[in-house]
mmCIF file of all heavy atoms in Angstrom:
data_model
loop_
_atom_site.group_PDB
_atom_site.id
_atom_site.type_symbol
_atom_site.label_atom_id
_atom_site.label_comp_id
_atom_site.label_asym_id
_atom_site.label_seq_id
_atom_site.Cartn_x
_atom_site.Cartn_y
_atom_site.Cartn_z
ATOM 1 N N ASP U 1460 0.834 -1.201 0.000
ATOM 2 C CA ASP U 1460 0.000 0.000 0.000
ATOM 3 C C ASP U 1460 0.873 1.257 0.000
ATOM 4 O O ASP U 1460 0.624 2.199 -0.762
ATOM 5 C CB ASP U 1460 -0.934 -0.028 1.206
ATOM 6 C CG ASP U 1460 -1.915 1.118 1.198
ATOM 7 O OD1 ASP U 1460 -2.613 1.292 0.179
ATOM 8 O OD2 ASP U 1460 -1.976 1.840 2.199
ATOM 9 N N ARG U 1461 1.898 1.262 0.845
ATOM 10 C CA ARG U 1461 2.810 2.413 0.887
ATOM 11 C C ARG U 1461 3.527 2.602 -0.448
ATOM 12 O O ARG U 1461 3.671 3.722 -0.940
ATOM 13 C CB ARG U 1461 3.845 2.252 2.000
ATOM 14 C CG ARG U 1461 3.334 2.575 3.383
ATOM 15 C CD ARG U 1461 4.453 2.664 4.411
ATOM 16 N NE ARG U 1461 5.321 1.486 4.425
ATOM 17 C CZ ARG U 1461 5.087 0.370 5.128
ATOM 18 N NH1 ARG U 1461 4.009 0.281 5.878
ATOM 19 N NH2 ARG U 1461 5.933 -0.632 5.088
ATOM 20 N N GLU U 1462 3.997 1.515 -1.036
ATOM 21 C CA GLU U 1462 4.728 1.603 -2.307
ATOM 22 C C GLU U 1462 3.816 2.049 -3.447
ATOM 23 O O GLU U 1462 4.246 2.811 -4.316
ATOM 24 C CB GLU U 1462 5.398 0.269 -2.636
ATOM 25 C CG GLU U 1462 6.553 -0.048 -1.701
ATOM 26 C CD GLU U 1462 7.623 1.025 -1.716
ATOM 27 O OE1 GLU U 1462 8.203 1.300 -2.788
ATOM 28 O OE2 GLU U 1462 7.897 1.602 -0.646
ATOM 29 N N LEU U 1463 2.570 1.590 -3.455
ATOM 30 C CA LEU U 1463 1.626 2.059 -4.459
ATOM 31 C C LEU U 1463 1.402 3.560 -4.294
ATOM 32 O O LEU U 1463 1.390 4.306 -5.285
ATOM 33 C CB LEU U 1463 0.295 1.311 -4.361
ATOM 34 C CG LEU U 1463 -0.779 1.763 -5.340
ATOM 35 C CD1 LEU U 1463 -0.331 1.559 -6.789
ATOM 36 C CD2 LEU U 1463 -2.083 1.037 -5.070
ATOM 37 N N GLY U 1464 1.256 4.016 -3.062
ATOM 38 C CA GLY U 1464 1.112 5.450 -2.806
ATOM 39 C C GLY U 1464 2.324 6.230 -3.286
ATOM 40 O O GLY U 1464 2.194 7.309 -3.878
ATOM 41 N N ARG U 1465 3.495 5.685 -3.062
ATOM 42 C CA ARG U 1465 4.732 6.338 -3.509
ATOM 43 C C ARG U 1465 4.773 6.404 -5.039
ATOM 44 O O ARG U 1465 5.159 7.424 -5.626
ATOM 45 C CB ARG U 1465 5.933 5.570 -2.972
ATOM 46 C CG ARG U 1465 7.239 6.283 -3.126
ATOM 47 C CD ARG U 1465 8.321 5.571 -2.332
ATOM 48 N NE ARG U 1465 8.726 4.348 -2.970
ATOM 49 C CZ ARG U 1465 9.915 4.144 -3.529
ATOM 50 N NH1 ARG U 1465 10.819 5.090 -3.509
ATOM 51 N NH2 ARG U 1465 10.204 2.993 -4.081
ATOM 52 N N PHE U 1466 4.364 5.338 -5.704
ATOM 53 C CA PHE U 1466 4.310 5.307 -7.160
ATOM 54 C C PHE U 1466 3.341 6.357 -7.695
ATOM 55 O O PHE U 1466 3.661 7.105 -8.630
ATOM 56 C CB PHE U 1466 3.900 3.904 -7.618
ATOM 57 C CG PHE U 1466 3.663 3.788 -9.082
ATOM 58 C CD1 PHE U 1466 4.724 3.830 -9.975
ATOM 59 C CD2 PHE U 1466 2.377 3.637 -9.576
ATOM 60 C CE1 PHE U 1466 4.503 3.724 -11.344
ATOM 61 C CE2 PHE U 1466 2.151 3.519 -10.936
ATOM 62 C CZ PHE U 1466 3.217 3.573 -11.822
ATOM 63 N N LEU U 1467 2.137 6.418 -7.101
ATOM 64 C CA LEU U 1467 1.146 7.394 -7.554
ATOM 65 C C LEU U 1467 1.626 8.819 -7.317
ATOM 66 O O LEU U 1467 1.418 9.702 -8.172
ATOM 67 C CB LEU U 1467 -0.196 7.144 -6.862
ATOM 68 C CG LEU U 1467 -0.867 5.809 -7.192
ATOM 69 C CD1 LEU U 1467 -2.130 5.632 -6.366
ATOM 70 C CD2 LEU U 1467 -1.144 5.675 -8.674
ATOM 71 N N ARG U 1468 2.271 9.075 -6.184
ATOM 72 C CA ARG U 1468 2.843 10.404 -5.929
ATOM 73 C C ARG U 1468 3.887 10.753 -6.983
ATOM 74 O O ARG U 1468 3.965 11.892 -7.456
ATOM 75 C CB ARG U 1468 3.456 10.482 -4.536
ATOM 76 C CG ARG U 1468 2.452 10.753 -3.437
ATOM 77 C CD ARG U 1468 3.114 11.089 -2.098
ATOM 78 N NE ARG U 1468 4.041 10.056 -1.657
ATOM 79 C CZ ARG U 1468 3.697 8.910 -1.066
ATOM 80 N NH1 ARG U 1468 2.416 8.645 -0.845
ATOM 81 N NH2 ARG U 1468 4.608 8.028 -0.687
ATOM 82 N N GLY U 1469 4.705 9.771 -7.345
ATOM 83 C CA GLY U 1469 5.714 9.987 -8.372
ATOM 84 C C GLY U 1469 5.097 10.360 -9.712
ATOM 85 O O GLY U 1469 5.616 11.234 -10.421
ATOM 86 N N LEU U 1470 4.004 9.702 -10.069
ATOM 87 C CA LEU U 1470 3.309 10.064 -11.299
ATOM 88 C C LEU U 1470 2.799 11.499 -11.238
ATOM 89 O O LEU U 1470 2.917 12.254 -12.209
ATOM 90 C CB LEU U 1470 2.135 9.112 -11.562
ATOM 91 C CG LEU U 1470 2.470 7.678 -11.965
ATOM 92 C CD1 LEU U 1470 1.193 6.867 -12.105
ATOM 93 C CD2 LEU U 1470 3.278 7.636 -13.254
ATOM 94 N N ARG U 1471 2.226 11.870 -10.082
ATOM 95 C CA ARG U 1471 1.705 13.247 -9.932
ATOM 96 C C ARG U 1471 2.838 14.262 -10.025
ATOM 97 O O ARG U 1471 2.699 15.296 -10.687
ATOM 98 C CB ARG U 1471 0.965 13.385 -8.603
ATOM 99 C CG ARG U 1471 -0.386 12.722 -8.595
ATOM 100 C CD ARG U 1471 -1.143 13.016 -7.299
ATOM 101 N NE ARG U 1471 -2.389 12.309 -7.267
ATOM 102 C CZ ARG U 1471 -2.601 11.175 -6.581
ATOM 103 N NH1 ARG U 1471 -1.633 10.644 -5.850
ATOM 104 N NH2 ARG U 1471 -3.772 10.581 -6.618
ATOM 105 N N GLU U 1472 3.930 13.990 -9.342
ATOM 106 C CA GLU U 1472 5.078 14.917 -9.344
ATOM 107 C C GLU U 1472 5.639 15.114 -10.744
ATOM 108 O O GLU U 1472 6.159 16.180 -11.063
ATOM 109 C CB GLU U 1472 6.170 14.392 -8.419
ATOM 110 C CG GLU U 1472 5.809 14.468 -6.955
ATOM 111 C CD GLU U 1472 6.753 13.666 -6.063
ATOM 112 O OE1 GLU U 1472 7.705 13.033 -6.583
ATOM 113 O OE2 GLU U 1472 6.530 13.667 -4.836
ATOM 114 N N ARG U 1473 5.552 14.107 -11.579
ATOM 115 C CA ARG U 1473 6.084 14.178 -12.942
ATOM 116 C C ARG U 1473 5.034 14.643 -13.958
ATOM 117 O O ARG U 1473 5.299 14.693 -15.152
ATOM 118 C CB ARG U 1473 6.628 12.818 -13.345
ATOM 119 C CG ARG U 1473 7.868 12.438 -12.576
ATOM 120 C CD ARG U 1473 8.206 10.966 -12.742
ATOM 121 N NE ARG U 1473 9.384 10.574 -12.015
ATOM 122 C CZ ARG U 1473 9.445 10.324 -10.709
ATOM 123 N NH1 ARG U 1473 8.371 10.448 -9.961
ATOM 124 N NH2 ARG U 1473 10.576 9.962 -10.131
ATOM 125 N N GLY U 1474 3.832 14.963 -13.473
ATOM 126 C CA GLY U 1474 2.764 15.419 -14.357
ATOM 127 C C GLY U 1474 2.190 14.322 -15.237
ATOM 128 O O GLY U 1474 1.598 14.609 -16.274
ATOM 129 N N LEU U 1475 2.331 13.078 -14.833
ATOM 130 C CA LEU U 1475 1.875 11.956 -15.636
ATOM 131 C C LEU U 1475 0.569 11.336 -15.141
ATOM 132 O O LEU U 1475 -0.055 10.562 -15.858
ATOM 133 C CB LEU U 1475 2.957 10.861 -15.668
ATOM 134 C CG LEU U 1475 4.300 11.284 -16.236
ATOM 135 C CD1 LEU U 1475 5.331 10.182 -16.015
ATOM 136 C CD2 LEU U 1475 4.164 11.627 -17.702
ATOM 137 N N TYR U 1476 0.173 11.675 -13.949
ATOM 138 C CA TYR U 1476 -0.968 11.014 -13.314
ATOM 139 C C TYR U 1476 -2.263 11.184 -14.108
ATOM 140 O O TYR U 1476 -2.994 10.225 -14.332
ATOM 141 C CB TYR U 1476 -1.145 11.526 -11.886
ATOM 142 C CG TYR U 1476 -2.267 10.865 -11.146
ATOM 143 C CD1 TYR U 1476 -2.076 9.644 -10.515
ATOM 144 C CD2 TYR U 1476 -3.531 11.444 -11.077
ATOM 145 C CE1 TYR U 1476 -3.100 9.009 -9.831
ATOM 146 C CE2 TYR U 1476 -4.564 10.829 -10.395
ATOM 147 C CZ TYR U 1476 -4.342 9.612 -9.777
ATOM 148 O OH TYR U 1476 -5.362 8.993 -9.109
ATOM 149 N N ASP U 1477 -2.558 12.411 -14.551
ATOM 150 C CA ASP U 1477 -3.830 12.677 -15.220
ATOM 151 C C ASP U 1477 -3.939 11.982 -16.571
ATOM 152 O O ASP U 1477 -5.037 11.773 -17.076
ATOM 153 C CB ASP U 1477 -4.035 14.179 -15.391
ATOM 154 C CG ASP U 1477 -4.306 14.871 -14.059
ATOM 155 O OD1 ASP U 1477 -4.808 14.200 -13.139
ATOM 156 O OD2 ASP U 1477 -4.003 16.071 -13.949
ATOM 157 N N ARG U 1478 -2.817 11.611 -17.187
ATOM 158 C CA ARG U 1478 -2.838 10.943 -18.485
ATOM 159 C C ARG U 1478 -2.634 9.434 -18.360
ATOM 160 O O ARG U 1478 -2.665 8.723 -19.358
ATOM 161 C CB ARG U 1478 -1.742 11.520 -19.389
ATOM 162 C CG ARG U 1478 -2.014 12.970 -19.760
ATOM 163 C CD ARG U 1478 -0.931 13.535 -20.653
ATOM 164 N NE ARG U 1478 0.272 13.728 -19.847
ATOM 165 C CZ ARG U 1478 1.506 13.473 -20.259
ATOM 166 N NH1 ARG U 1478 1.716 13.003 -21.461
ATOM 167 N NH2 ARG U 1478 2.530 13.701 -19.481
ATOM 168 N N ALA U 1479 -2.430 8.956 -17.156
ATOM 169 C CA ALA U 1479 -2.104 7.541 -16.957
ATOM 170 C C ALA U 1479 -3.365 6.694 -16.812
ATOM 171 O O ALA U 1479 -4.380 7.145 -16.293
ATOM 172 C CB ALA U 1479 -1.251 7.377 -15.710
ATOM 173 N N THR U 1480 -3.281 5.475 -17.288
ATOM 174 C CA THR U 1480 -4.275 4.456 -16.982
ATOM 175 C C THR U 1480 -3.618 3.519 -15.985
ATOM 176 O O THR U 1480 -2.588 2.910 -16.277
ATOM 177 C CB THR U 1480 -4.685 3.671 -18.242
ATOM 178 O OG1 THR U 1480 -5.251 4.580 -19.186
ATOM 179 C CG2 THR U 1480 -5.683 2.580 -17.898
ATOM 180 N N ILE U 1481 -4.179 3.435 -14.818
ATOM 181 C CA ILE U 1481 -3.572 2.664 -13.732
ATOM 182 C C ILE U 1481 -4.449 1.457 -13.441
ATOM 183 O O ILE U 1481 -5.648 1.590 -13.226
ATOM 184 C CB ILE U 1481 -3.407 3.539 -12.473
ATOM 185 C CG1 ILE U 1481 -2.533 4.742 -12.812
ATOM 186 C CG2 ILE U 1481 -2.830 2.728 -11.322
ATOM 187 C CD1 ILE U 1481 -2.612 5.858 -11.824
ATOM 188 N N VAL U 1482 -3.853 0.289 -13.459
ATOM 189 C CA VAL U 1482 -4.556 -0.950 -13.169
ATOM 190 C C VAL U 1482 -3.857 -1.617 -12.000
ATOM 191 O O VAL U 1482 -2.645 -1.818 -12.028
ATOM 192 C CB VAL U 1482 -4.559 -1.896 -14.391
ATOM 193 C CG1 VAL U 1482 -5.267 -3.196 -14.054
ATOM 194 C CG2 VAL U 1482 -5.193 -1.216 -15.590
ATOM 195 N N PHE U 1483 -4.599 -1.930 -10.977
ATOM 196 C CA PHE U 1483 -4.071 -2.573 -9.778
ATOM 197 C C PHE U 1483 -4.809 -3.893 -9.599
ATOM 198 O O PHE U 1483 -6.029 -3.933 -9.587
ATOM 199 C CB PHE U 1483 -4.294 -1.670 -8.560
ATOM 200 C CG PHE U 1483 -3.813 -2.260 -7.275
ATOM 201 C CD1 PHE U 1483 -2.473 -2.258 -6.954
ATOM 202 C CD2 PHE U 1483 -4.712 -2.830 -6.399
ATOM 203 C CE1 PHE U 1483 -2.035 -2.813 -5.766
ATOM 204 C CE2 PHE U 1483 -4.288 -3.386 -5.207
ATOM 205 C CZ PHE U 1483 -2.938 -3.377 -4.892
ATOM 206 N N LEU U 1484 -4.050 -4.976 -9.490
ATOM 207 C CA LEU U 1484 -4.638 -6.307 -9.385
ATOM 208 C C LEU U 1484 -3.865 -7.139 -8.373
ATOM 209 O O LEU U 1484 -2.641 -7.112 -8.356
ATOM 210 C CB LEU U 1484 -4.586 -6.992 -10.754
ATOM 211 C CG LEU U 1484 -4.982 -8.458 -10.832
ATOM 212 C CD1 LEU U 1484 -6.466 -8.616 -10.558
ATOM 213 C CD2 LEU U 1484 -4.623 -9.015 -12.192
ATOM 214 N N ALA U 1485 -4.580 -7.869 -7.555
ATOM 215 C CA ALA U 1485 -3.948 -8.816 -6.638
ATOM 216 C C ALA U 1485 -4.011 -10.206 -7.259
ATOM 217 O O ALA U 1485 -4.927 -10.515 -8.020
ATOM 218 C CB ALA U 1485 -4.655 -8.818 -5.284
ATOM 219 N N ALA U 1486 -3.046 -11.037 -6.951
ATOM 220 C CA ALA U 1486 -2.989 -12.380 -7.524
ATOM 221 C C ALA U 1486 -3.973 -13.323 -6.845
ATOM 222 O O ALA U 1486 -4.691 -14.059 -7.500
ATOM 223 C CB ALA U 1486 -1.579 -12.940 -7.418
ATOM 224 N N HIS U 1487 -3.999 -13.338 -5.534
ATOM 225 C CA HIS U 1487 -4.890 -14.213 -4.776
ATOM 226 C C HIS U 1487 -4.861 -13.786 -3.320
ATOM 227 O O HIS U 1487 -4.014 -13.011 -2.906
ATOM 228 C CB HIS U 1487 -4.465 -15.679 -4.904
ATOM 229 C CG HIS U 1487 -3.056 -15.928 -4.446
ATOM 230 N ND1 HIS U 1487 -2.701 -15.997 -3.127
ATOM 231 C CD2 HIS U 1487 -1.926 -16.090 -5.161
ATOM 232 C CE1 HIS U 1487 -1.400 -16.205 -3.036
ATOM 233 N NE2 HIS U 1487 -0.901 -16.257 -4.258
ATOM 234 N N GLY U 1488 -5.772 -14.305 -2.554
ATOM 235 C CA GLY U 1488 -5.795 -14.044 -1.132
ATOM 236 C C GLY U 1488 -5.201 -15.213 -0.367
ATOM 237 O O GLY U 1488 -4.648 -16.144 -0.947
ATOM 238 N N GLU U 1489 -5.309 -15.139 0.917
ATOM 239 C CA GLU U 1489 -4.807 -16.198 1.795
ATOM 240 C C GLU U 1489 -5.918 -16.632 2.745
ATOM 241 O O GLU U 1489 -6.767 -15.835 3.120
ATOM 242 C CB GLU U 1489 -3.613 -15.712 2.617
ATOM 243 C CG GLU U 1489 -2.418 -15.297 1.799
ATOM 244 C CD GLU U 1489 -1.713 -16.458 1.132
ATOM 245 O OE1 GLU U 1489 -1.908 -17.612 1.556
ATOM 246 O OE2 GLU U 1489 -0.965 -16.218 0.172
ATOM 247 N N GLU U 1490 -5.884 -17.862 3.118
ATOM 248 C CA GLU U 1490 -6.828 -18.402 4.089
ATOM 249 C C GLU U 1490 -6.028 -18.766 5.332
ATOM 250 O O GLU U 1490 -5.091 -19.546 5.274
ATOM 251 C CB GLU U 1490 -7.515 -19.643 3.523
ATOM 252 C CG GLU U 1490 -8.551 -20.215 4.445
ATOM 253 C CD GLU U 1490 -9.227 -21.444 3.849
ATOM 254 O OE1 GLU U 1490 -8.930 -21.819 2.716
ATOM 255 O OE2 GLU U 1490 -10.050 -22.022 4.569
ATOM 256 N N PHE U 1491 -6.367 -18.163 6.434
ATOM 257 C CA PHE U 1491 -5.671 -18.424 7.699
ATOM 258 C C PHE U 1491 -6.605 -19.169 8.649
ATOM 259 O O PHE U 1491 -7.063 -18.636 9.645
ATOM 260 C CB PHE U 1491 -5.173 -17.123 8.323
ATOM 261 C CG PHE U 1491 -4.117 -16.453 7.497
ATOM 262 C CD1 PHE U 1491 -4.357 -15.234 6.891
ATOM 263 C CD2 PHE U 1491 -2.881 -17.045 7.316
ATOM 264 C CE1 PHE U 1491 -3.378 -14.612 6.129
ATOM 265 C CE2 PHE U 1491 -1.899 -16.436 6.563
ATOM 266 C CZ PHE U 1491 -2.149 -15.218 5.967
ATOM 267 N N LEU U 1492 -6.924 -20.392 8.295
ATOM 268 C CA LEU U 1492 -7.781 -21.285 9.072
ATOM 269 C C LEU U 1492 -9.223 -20.803 9.164
ATOM 270 O O LEU U 1492 -9.974 -21.270 10.008
ATOM 271 C CB LEU U 1492 -7.197 -21.511 10.474
ATOM 272 C CG LEU U 1492 -5.791 -22.110 10.498
ATOM 273 C CD1 LEU U 1492 -5.266 -22.168 11.920
ATOM 274 C CD2 LEU U 1492 -5.795 -23.498 9.874
ATOM 275 N N ASP U 1493 -9.611 -19.892 8.280
ATOM 276 C CA ASP U 1493 -10.982 -19.388 8.298
ATOM 277 C C ASP U 1493 -11.994 -20.504 8.076
ATOM 278 O O ASP U 1493 -13.084 -20.483 8.639
ATOM 279 C CB ASP U 1493 -11.174 -18.309 7.233
ATOM 280 C CG ASP U 1493 -10.281 -17.109 7.465
ATOM 281 O OD1 ASP U 1493 -10.162 -16.679 8.620
ATOM 282 O OD2 ASP U 1493 -9.702 -16.612 6.487
ATOM 283 N N HIS U 1494 -11.655 -21.460 7.256
ATOM 284 C CA HIS U 1494 -12.529 -22.598 6.964
ATOM 285 C C HIS U 1494 -11.769 -23.910 7.163
ATOM 286 O O HIS U 1494 -12.071 -24.915 6.531
ATOM 287 C CB HIS U 1494 -13.051 -22.518 5.531
ATOM 288 C CG HIS U 1494 -13.749 -21.229 5.233
ATOM 289 N ND1 HIS U 1494 -15.060 -20.988 5.589
ATOM 290 C CD2 HIS U 1494 -13.318 -20.100 4.640
ATOM 291 C CE1 HIS U 1494 -15.400 -19.776 5.220
ATOM 292 N NE2 HIS U 1494 -14.364 -19.208 4.643
ATOM 293 N N GLY U 1495 -10.761 -23.859 7.985
ATOM 294 C CA GLY U 1495 -9.956 -25.039 8.250
ATOM 295 C C GLY U 1495 -8.757 -25.178 7.340
ATOM 296 O O GLY U 1495 -7.906 -26.035 7.554
ATOM 297 N N GLY U 1496 -8.672 -24.333 6.327
ATOM 298 C CA GLY U 1496 -7.543 -24.382 5.401
ATOM 299 C C GLY U 1496 -6.453 -23.409 5.794
ATOM 300 O O GLY U 1496 -6.626 -22.533 6.634
ATOM 301 N N TRP U 1497 -5.331 -23.584 5.137
ATOM 302 C CA TRP U 1497 -4.170 -22.780 5.464
ATOM 303 C C TRP U 1497 -3.567 -22.194 4.194
ATOM 304 O O TRP U 1497 -3.374 -22.904 3.208
ATOM 305 C CB TRP U 1497 -3.145 -23.657 6.189
ATOM 306 C CG TRP U 1497 -1.898 -22.950 6.573
ATOM 307 C CD1 TRP U 1497 -0.659 -23.185 6.079
ATOM 308 C CD2 TRP U 1497 -1.752 -21.916 7.525
ATOM 309 N NE1 TRP U 1497 0.247 -22.346 6.654
ATOM 310 C CE2 TRP U 1497 -0.403 -21.549 7.563
ATOM 311 C CE3 TRP U 1497 -2.644 -21.227 8.343
ATOM 312 C CZ2 TRP U 1497 0.093 -20.541 8.378
ATOM 313 C CZ3 TRP U 1497 -2.150 -20.228 9.164
ATOM 314 C CH2 TRP U 1497 -0.812 -19.904 9.182
ATOM 315 N N GLU U 1498 -3.293 -20.902 4.200
ATOM 316 C CA GLU U 1498 -2.693 -20.167 3.089
ATOM 317 C C GLU U 1498 -3.558 -20.259 1.840
ATOM 318 O O GLU U 1498 -4.763 -20.181 1.912
ATOM 319 C CB GLU U 1498 -1.256 -20.622 2.848
ATOM 320 C CG GLU U 1498 -0.353 -20.310 4.033
ATOM 321 C CD GLU U 1498 1.068 -20.706 3.818
ATOM 322 O OE1 GLU U 1498 1.328 -21.668 3.086
ATOM 323 O OE2 GLU U 1498 1.931 -20.030 4.388
ATOM 324 N N HIS U 1499 -2.970 -20.407 0.660
ATOM 325 C CA HIS U 1499 -3.779 -20.481 -0.559
ATOM 326 C C HIS U 1499 -3.716 -21.902 -1.111
ATOM 327 O O HIS U 1499 -2.785 -22.309 -1.751
ATOM 328 C CB HIS U 1499 -3.362 -19.440 -1.600
ATOM 329 C CG HIS U 1499 -1.917 -19.440 -1.954
ATOM 330 N ND1 HIS U 1499 -0.970 -18.794 -1.199
ATOM 331 C CD2 HIS U 1499 -1.250 -20.016 -2.964
ATOM 332 C CE1 HIS U 1499 0.218 -18.973 -1.745
ATOM 333 N NE2 HIS U 1499 0.082 -19.705 -2.816
ATOM 334 N N GLY U 1500 -4.762 -22.622 -0.765
ATOM 335 C CA GLY U 1500 -4.852 -24.022 -1.137
ATOM 336 C C GLY U 1500 -5.887 -24.256 -2.210
ATOM 337 O O GLY U 1500 -6.198 -23.374 -3.006
ATOM 338 N N PRO U 1501 -6.490 -25.417 -2.213
ATOM 339 C CA PRO U 1501 -7.395 -25.802 -3.295
ATOM 340 C C PRO U 1501 -8.852 -25.369 -3.100
ATOM 341 O O PRO U 1501 -9.709 -25.778 -3.878
ATOM 342 C CB PRO U 1501 -7.284 -27.325 -3.285
ATOM 343 C CG PRO U 1501 -7.048 -27.663 -1.848
ATOM 344 C CD PRO U 1501 -6.173 -26.545 -1.332
#
């Protein structure tokens, strides 16, 4: 989150933010025994 904020600030400082198309995607989540599973399983 901090690094994404730093990246976006950098775009603004360089005058690129308003012309940029920014796509943010996560690969997967994690399960920490919420349903008996651990990490990212099946």
